[in-house]
Amino acid sequence: MNKADIGLVGLAVMGQNLALNLQDHGYRVAVYNRTTARTEEFLAGPEADNTLVGCYSPADLAASLSRPRVILLMVKAGQAVDDTLELLHPYLDAGDIVIDGGNSHPDDTRRRVAALAERNLLFVGCGISGGEEGARRGPSLMPGGNALAWPHIRPILEAIAARVGDQPCCRWIGPDGAGHFVKMVHNGIEYGDLQLIGEAYQLLRFGLEMPADRLAALFDRWNHGPLNSYLIEITARILSVRDAEGLPLIDSILDTAGQKGTGRWTSVEALKLGTPLTAINEAVCARYLSARREERVMASNRLATDARPAGKADDHSIQAVHDALYAAKIISYAQGFMLLKDAAKAFDWDLDFEGIALIWRGGCIIRSVFLNDIAAAYRDDGGLENLLLAPFFTGQLRKTDTGWRQAVILGVKLGIPLPGLSSALAFFDGYRCSRLPANLLQAQRDYFGAHTYERTDRPRGMFFHTDWSSHNAPSKDQHD
């Protein structure tokens, strides 16, 4: 029997769809699942052909593969990955390659790359975005880890990836945990996008009292402009769906949002690296707040204020909401790329920011026309300090500034919570502010804790302390 080109462990929906994707592109795939019945059920399915090889033990899987062996793990992130690696290890040889395609934490991937290298095995942490449909028809792939694996796995991953034109949405990201870090940031940006779209929906639906069918048509129209994206597209479709009684299905869905942790990881990593990731942080917190539904319902009665009249859904107010959504989206993506830049510096990664934007254009959840503009910004200026400083985005923020502010003011007047839109605006104002109140904050820290401060009229790096309890006490150079 001919040896298989690649092994796949884990036959949940994502694993099955990736196996079929590989099969479609001419690869012979050996599949293994801890539960034998699932393997048999998959192999008997209507899309599976006779090139798929069913394996019923780690030993069978290893024996069925050509060398160097390439094994793709599609198991739950966390301990399950380590457990699977231990099961496979006795049957692997030096130079074999293991790819973790789950949403693993970058620190875990970094650890596994080092640990398997000591065993002369090549480990790759590959971010996979696009959900079930992407896995089946073409996802966005973000591999990183042991670079020695890349020449062997590149043809396979590029073959099954989504494509934009003739470009596969896949490229090598960098060493150790770089691939999973970029996927984590992708998911954080996804959190931000979803929150911002939700706020625009709530402001239009409940602040301006627009019916669902009109909103569906509006989002569909927006999807043919600068907001063109997968998430805007599916929002229009969702808002057009009716239930059995002919009512908008969206109104019957409980307002509590779930999450799997990658957004929170993004926020935590940003805090560790000192990146002001305000828009994504607010999106994570908004999901936590949504989970407190019973408490919110109680508060809606006890903290009720005078009823506020609805706003007017005219062309002016609708355009303001559009501009706010677009501008805040720019901020959210800019913050995501700020985090990638800070991580590259901290972990000594040579990240290709243009390339990252390009592979996100197809297959993944945040795919949008907007990513072409991001790629162009980095292509035009390889040393770009921040996306907000690129001429294109500077111009877009100038154009949307007035509407953005009007939309946030409207939300405040109507009592509609807009944490994403408003925090993005606050970041924008803070980022372009040449003087922040941190001087007072630092003086306060010096007052109660002698933490010292720098002065505007002295070179950076010179620190001073004042005895604030003495009236008009002079500042003292700490270097004296």
Side-chain angles (χ1 to χ4, degrees):
M1 183 182 73
N2 293 332
K3 296 284 189 178
D5 304 300
I6 184 171
L8 188 145
V9 179
L11 289 174
V13 176
M14 285 287 290
Q16 290 186 25
N17 283 354
L18 283 167
L20 294 172
N21 189 348
L22 287 159
Q23 168 193 276
D24 290 348
H25 286 86
Y27 290 99
R28 187 172 179 83
V29 187
V31 296
Y32 166 70
N33 193 81
R34 183 171 55 87
T35 305
T36 298
R38 176 164 289 183
T39 303
E40 294 174 341
E41 180 183 358
F42 172 63
L43 293 173
E47 293 189 271
D49 65 25
N50 58 12
T51 64
L52 291 169
V53 180
C55 301
Y56 299 96
S57 71
D60 287 345
L61 180 69
S64 71
L65 296 171
S66 60
R67 298 187 183 181
R69 299 178 181 91
V70 178
I71 300 176
L72 173 60
L73 307 186
M74 294 303 300
V75 300
K76 186 177 181 180
Q79 188 61 44
V81 176
D82 293 315
D83 292 344
T84 304
L85 290 173
E86 288 305 310
L87 285 174
L88 292 171
H89 177 246
Y91 310 103
L92 301 180
D93 297 312
D96 286 348
I97 300 164
V98 181
I99 307 169
D100 175 15
N103 272 333
S104 289
H105 194 284
D107 288 347
D108 288 336
T109 302
R110 184 180 294 110
R111 168 177 57 80
R112 290 165 184 148
V113 169
L116 267 69
E118 292 181 355
R119 303 176 180 180
N120 295 314
L121 300 173
L122 310 181
F123 188 80
V124 173
C126 183
I128 301 177
S129 179
E132 297 173 7
E133 181 64 20
R136 182 67 185 88
R137 305 299 174 190
S140 175
L141 299 173
M142 294 151 262
N146 195 319
L148 295 175
W150 181 231
H152 300 282
I153 65 175
R154 180 176 183 173
I156 300 174
L157 296 186
E158 288 187 346
I160 67 171
R163 305 186 82 82
V164 176
D166 61 351
Q167 294 182 332
C169 293
C170 170
R171 64 180 60 203
W172 185 254
I173 300 298
D176 51 77
H180 273 142
F181 195 100
V182 169
K183 173 55 164 55
M184 178 193 71
V185 173
H186 164 283
N187 285 22
I189 292 173
E190 176 188 318
Y191 271 59
D193 261 0
L194 290 167
Q195 177 63 27
L196 294 171
I197 293 170
E199 291 177 19
Y201 153 77
Q202 187 170 22
L203 182 54
L204 293 166
R205 184 75 190 278
F206 302 105
L208 302 182
E209 296 187 337
M210 292 181 65
D213 56 352
R214 187 181 172 193
L215 270 177
L218 177 63
F219 275 95
D220 182 65
R221 187 168 78 246
W222 284 358
N223 196 44
H224 292 83
L227 287 173
N228 173 270
S229 66
Y230 171 71
L231 290 175
I232 292 291
E233 175 188 343
I234 67 170
T235 299
R237 293 181 181 179
I238 288 167
L239 293 172
S240 68
V241 173
R242 300 269 172 166
D243 63 16
E245 285 72 40
L247 300 174
L249 178 58
I250 188 68
D251 293 341
S252 298
I253 298 176
L254 196 68
D255 59 326
T256 58
Q259 56 184 311
K260 293 186 177 179
T262 48
R264 174 171 53 83
W265 292 352
T266 310
S267 293
V268 170
E269 291 304 309
L271 289 171
K272 289 179 180 178
L273 294 172
T275 309
L277 209 69
T278 57
I280 294 171
N281 292 346
E282 287 296 342
V284 174
C285 289
R287 294 201 189 190
Y288 288 139
L289 183 59
S290 77
R292 297 172 178 257
R293 188 172 191 277
E294 290 74 18
E295 191 175 341
R296 288 188 289 110
V297 171
M298 180 174 62
S300 69
N301 295 315
R302 297 191 183 182
L303 299 176
T305 57
D306 293 338
R308 298 176 177 88
K312 185 179 180 182
D314 54 21
D315 291 343
H316 181 77
S317 60
I318 292 171
Q319 184 62 42
V321 177
H322 171 279
D323 289 351
L325 178 55
Y326 183 43
K329 181 184 178 76
I330 292 173
I331 298 297
S332 181
Y333 279 69
Q335 290 181 352
F337 276 88
M338 285 171 64
L339 178 56
L340 290 178
K341 185 171 184 178
D342 289 346
K345 183 177 180 180
F347 304 126
D348 195 26
W349 296 336
D350 183 20
L351 296 183
D352 178 2
F353 302 121
E354 177 192 352
I356 290 169
L358 290 174
I359 64 173
W360 285 350
R361 293 179 304 158
C364 71
I365 303 301
I366 65 171
R367 61 186 183 268
S368 67
V369 68
F370 177 78
L371 286 158
N372 287 315
D373 301 319
I374 294 177
Y378 283 112
R379 182 168 58 250
D380 294 343
D381 182 359
L384 184 64
E385 185 68 24
N386 190 298
L387 273 177
L388 302 184
L389 302 178
F392 174 80
F393 291 109
T394 298
Q396 295 304 302
L397 289 169
R398 286 198 184 104
K399 287 170 56 178
T400 55
D401 182 81
T402 299
W404 190 5
R405 296 179 191 281
Q406 290 173 346
V408 171
I409 291 169
L410 180 61
V412 172
K413 285 183 177 179
L414 299 177
I416 302 293
L418 304 175
L421 295 174
S422 60
S423 69
L425 179 58
F427 173 86
F428 172 64
D429 285 338
Y431 184 72
R432 66 193 187 92
C433 185
S434 63
R435 190 167 180 85
L436 293 169
N439 57 336
L440 175 58
L441 186 153
Q442 198 61 22
Q444 292 165 330
R445 294 181 72 240
D446 188 55
Y447 190 109
F448 64 69
H451 293 293
T452 73
Y453 54 86
E454 296 175 275
R455 292 179 59 100
T456 59
D457 56 353
R458 296 289 189 275
R460 292 298 304 268
M462 290 184 65
F463 293 88
F464 300 84
H465 168 63
T466 292
D467 182 2
W468 297 94
S469 59
S470 300
H471 184 63
N472 292 328
S475 58
K476 299 177 181 179
D477 186 344
Q478 287 295 102
H479 290 189
D480 290 344

